[in-house]
Amino acid sequence: MNMQGAAERADQILDGVLAEIQPDMRWVHGPTTTGNCTVIRRRTVMTVVSAQRRGSLLGVVDRFWRKNGYRMRAVNNHVDAPAMYAETEDGFVVSLIVADKGQVHFDVNSPCVGYSEVADPTRQATAPLDPEAEVIPRPNIHSEFWSAETPEVGVTPGR
């Protein structure tokens, strides 16, 4: 496999996990990074994921990864910035990271492969992004499900 093949495999991994998440989340491509023999593909979720829904998202992704034979490498249970890391059977390392303002990032790091040029991803992003933007903005797409903020059990709203 060369770096272009690794980038395509990383895209396939990202497509798979994002297709598993229902209702759909909107996302944009993050930057592709290449090393001497590795490729990192990234997708940033533009759907607002409330603190109350993060656990649901992590559960869906964890179950999908395990069902597909991924080996869990690490889990960070931080309340505001949880993260999960797993490895595919063919050596790709995948991560889900919840960052500032609850923005969700998916990254796939390839194992070392043969050198080649790497083309941009071919899949169309599902969220709009200003082509002049120098950075990806904070999540800004509301979802009836993912953005829902349910009160804590036993807490009466307005008190």
Side-chain angles (χ1 to χ4, degrees):
M1 179 181 292
N2 64 20
M3 292 169 74
Q4 179 60 40
E8 291 168 6
R9 173 71 176 120
D11 289 338
Q12 178 186 39
I13 292 166
L14 291 165
D15 289 344
V17 71
L18 285 162
E20 187 72 13
I21 299 168
Q22 297 298 322
D24 290 343
M25 299 181 126
R26 308 282 296 279
W27 57 267
V28 297
H29 290 285
T32 295
T33 306
T34 58
N36 291 333
C37 66
T38 60
V39 178
I40 303 172
R41 288 282 216 215
R42 298 174 174 89
R43 294 197 186 160
T44 299
V45 174
M46 298 307 295
T47 301
V48 175
V49 179
S50 68
Q52 292 82 355
R53 295 292 192 202
R54 286 182 201 150
S56 295
L57 175 61
L58 293 166
V60 167
V61 172
D62 179 79
R63 285 187 296 279
F64 175 76
W65 286 351
R66 290 176 193 270
K67 179 179 80 176
N68 284 281
Y70 296 15
R71 184 176 60 84
M72 297 306 290
R73 292 179 65 172
V75 176
N76 174 354
N77 291 319
H78 189 277
V79 173
D80 295 323
M84 298 187 320
Y85 304 86
E87 185 173 341
T88 66
E89 292 175 343
D90 54 354
F92 286 74
V93 176
V94 298
S95 61
L96 178 161
I97 300 167
V98 179
D100 190 40
K101 306 293 185 202
Q103 190 153 46
V104 176
H105 301 274
F106 288 95
D107 296 354
V108 176
N109 299 273
S110 78
C112 188
V113 294
Y115 180 82
S116 71
E117 294 296 317
V118 176
D120 289 336
T122 57
R123 176 162 308 274
Q124 181 78 28
T126 61
L129 183 62
D130 179 356
E132 302 300 316
E134 292 186 22
V135 296
I136 296 172
R138 298 286 178 243
N140 56 14
I141 298 173
H142 182 80
S143 161
E144 289 297 319
F145 179 79
W146 292 113
S147 307
E149 296 185 20
T150 56
E152 294 180 46
V153 175
V155 175
T156 305
R159 288 191 186 186

